[in-house]
Amino acid sequence: MVHQMERQRRLADAERPGKDQRMRQLARAVGASEHPSRRALDLLSAAASEAALSGDLARAKTLSEAWQEALNTISEAETYNLDKKQHALTMIDRLNSAMRM
């Protein structure tokens, strides 16, 4: 129950006026998952694979690097028990930045 309330709070924060449409879509996609951090990794992985298959190797490289950075961030957050809300918002922001490239 607490995790569901936290996800709803994160979604509400991401949907405040002034946030762009892509950010809201990513927040919904990540926040709807039982494990939002892992969902973010899945989204990056899928986008990198799609870019590579279409021949856009520069984008695939950028997304792969973003995936590795996200993995490191998740590991640090879990290891040091960092603030989950801040971590989730940071992941959504990084995912948004990577997907725009």
Side-chain angles (χ1 to χ4, degrees), residues 3 10 16 21 28 33 35 50 55 62 65 67-68 70 72 75 79-80 85 87 89 95 99 101:
H3 294 290
R10 278 185 267 152
R16 288 179 303 197
Q21 182 68 20
R28 283 189 202 107
S33 171
H35 301 285
E50 185 179 309
T62 298
E65 289 170 350
W67 182 91
Q68 186 63 52
N72 292 341
S75 178
T79 299
Y80 300 112
K85 181 177 180 179
H87 167 69
L89 293 174
L95 183 59
M99 298 297 259
M101 305 231 154

Side-chain angles (χ1 to χ4, degrees), residues 82-100:
L82 301 178
D83 181 276
K84 289 179 180 16
K85 181 177 180 179
Q86 183 61 45
H87 167 69
L89 293 174
T90 299
M91 288 296 296
I92 291 168
D93 186 51
R94 286 182 177 173
L95 183 59
N96 184 45
S97 295
M99 298 297 259
R100 283 183 174 196

Side-chain angles (χ1 to χ4, degrees), residues 21-80:
Q21 182 68 20
R22 182 70 181 159
M23 185 74 130
R24 286 192 296 274
Q25 290 172 342
L26 291 171
R28 283 189 202 107
V30 171
S33 171
E34 181 66 27
H35 301 285
S37 296
R38 301 298 173 198
R39 178 68 179 134
L41 289 175
D42 291 345
L43 290 170
L44 284 168
S45 177
S49 294
E50 185 179 309
L53 290 172
S54 70
D56 189 351
L57 300 182
R59 180 168 168 73
K61 180 179 185 273
T62 298
L63 290 166
S64 295
E65 289 170 350
W67 182 91
Q68 186 63 52
E69 184 179 317
L71 183 64
N72 292 341
T73 300
I74 291 167
S75 178
E76 288 175 4
E78 291 173 353
T79 299
Y80 300 112

